[in-house]
Amino acid sequence: MTDSPALPTPQYLLRSLGQADVLIDGRSVIWPARSAEELLWFLHAHPEGKYRHDILAALWDLEDTPATANRFRVALHRLRTALGRSDAVTERAGRYTLHPDLLDASDTVVLGRAVRAAQAALNPREREALLRQALASAEGEYLPHLRGEWVETARQQHRATIVEGYLALSLLHCQARECPLAAQALVQAASHDPLIGEDHHQRLMACLTMTRDKYAAIEHYRRYRYFLANEVGDTPMTETEELAESIKAGERPCEHGPIHLR
């Protein structure tokens, strides 16, 4: 009697950016209930795992009672069934976690690891290539179809990862005296989060002075000042104001040599 051939391992893909989707062997999962999908993405956003009472409170604003515990068990069963594996979510000492294989199949998890790998690379050009490869897949809002405090927190963490990547890229170009590319990366960082450190806005003003002209730098300063006043109720730091005045006076705040284009 011969053994039956082993079934191929299903291939998973978790798309959390743009139009969120979960694919198994290229086919989208049809969710039997919204609660099962919400549970998946909540655990995706908390790879360290969460206790049942935390999940009930964050997802459905419920206390942990026998009735709500049953609702959780139903959602958990539906999630495992939809993904076709009983170990899709594991429980240890009361903490529920998404299986590592599913996390590894997630676009945002791969993005975060790629940014960290790029920062650990010793060769600047290798670091740049890894950062560009990672950031190329970072388009789209994180889980745009979901609402709630927990998902907004996860979105902020995702944006922070993207901003971190663009700032690291800008420093690489700055060190290589590639001012136009440094300015591009800083513009991308600021577009994802205008509240990046004010020193980065100062660097962008310097880059714009070098790559375009003082008017572009002053225009960025004015937009930043307007944003602070209307969105935050604050004003730029004294150092930023002084930098703007020096640029208006014709000073070139960047001490780098010739601008390199690629």
Side-chain angles (χ1 to χ4, degrees):
M1 181 176 179
T2 58
D3 294 333
S4 299
L7 295 175
T9 303
Q11 297 298 309
Y12 293 87
L13 176 60
L14 276 65
R15 291 177 178 163
S16 59
L17 302 177
Q19 185 175 353
D21 199 4
V22 178
L23 296 98
I24 304 176
D25 292 334
R27 295 184 178 181
S28 295
V29 169
I30 305 299
W31 295 103
R34 184 177 177 85
S35 58
E37 184 192 8
E38 290 175 335
L39 180 56
L40 167 78
W41 291 122
F42 181 81
L43 294 175
H44 171 272
H46 301 90
E48 75 284 359
K50 285 290 184 179
Y51 294 103
R52 185 177 67 194
H53 62 84
D54 294 323
I55 298 171
L56 287 168
L59 277 182
W60 303 303
D61 195 21
L62 297 172
E63 295 183 0
D64 195 353
T65 66
T68 58
N70 183 65
R71 173 175 176 172
F72 173 77
R73 284 192 292 271
V74 170
L76 181 60
H77 172 73
R78 286 172 170 168
L79 167 56
R80 288 168 169 162
T81 301
L83 296 183
R85 53 188 300 171
S86 60
D87 63 349
V89 177
T90 59
E91 181 268 330
R92 185 174 182 180
R95 185 183 289 269
Y96 293 84
T97 57
L98 201 60
H99 194 283
D101 288 352
L102 297 174
L103 289 172
D104 289 342
S106 161
D107 52 2
T108 43
V109 172
V110 170
L111 168 65
R113 289 176 181 169
V115 170
R116 291 191 292 273
Q119 293 171 336
L122 297 178
N123 183 281
R125 287 310 178 200
E126 178 187 359
R127 200 178 313 153
E128 178 193 341
L130 288 170
L131 281 170
R132 287 195 177 281
Q133 182 179 358
L135 293 168
S137 62
E139 295 301 320
E141 185 181 11
Y142 179 78
L143 300 179
H145 67 305
L146 296 180
R147 297 292 178 266
E149 184 177 339
W150 72 268
V151 76
E152 183 54 41
T153 299
R155 286 191 189 112
Q156 292 173 1
Q157 293 171 344
H158 170 62
R159 283 195 293 267
T161 299
I162 295 176
V163 169
E164 182 184 356
Y166 277 117
L167 291 178
L169 190 60
S170 75
L171 285 174
L172 285 173
H173 290 309
C174 194
Q175 292 162 1
R177 306 298 190 261
E178 297 165 346
C179 298
L181 294 176
Q184 274 181 21
L186 283 169
V187 167
Q188 288 285 356
S191 69
H192 281 90
D193 182 8
L195 287 176
I196 56 175
E198 194 153 333
D199 57 324
H200 299 302
H201 285 283
Q202 294 169 6
R203 286 204 304 123
L204 179 52
M205 290 165 63
C207 284
L208 291 172
T209 305
M210 295 294 292
T211 59
R212 294 175 61 185
D213 53 41
K214 68 178 183 180
Y215 302 105
I218 296 305
E219 179 59 26
H220 176 77
Y221 167 73
R222 288 173 177 163
R223 287 198 304 267
Y224 176 60
R225 185 178 62 187
Y226 180 86
F227 171 82
L228 287 180
N230 288 272
E231 300 295 331
V232 186
D234 201 356
T235 58
M237 298 190 312
T238 301
E239 293 86 344
T240 309
E241 294 175 346
E242 291 175 347
L243 175 62
E245 290 302 319
S246 68
I247 292 173
K248 286 181 186 177
E251 295 184 23
R252 294 168 67 83
C254 182
E255 297 180 357
H256 289 172
I259 298 171
H260 293 181
L261 298 170
R262 290 200 310 173

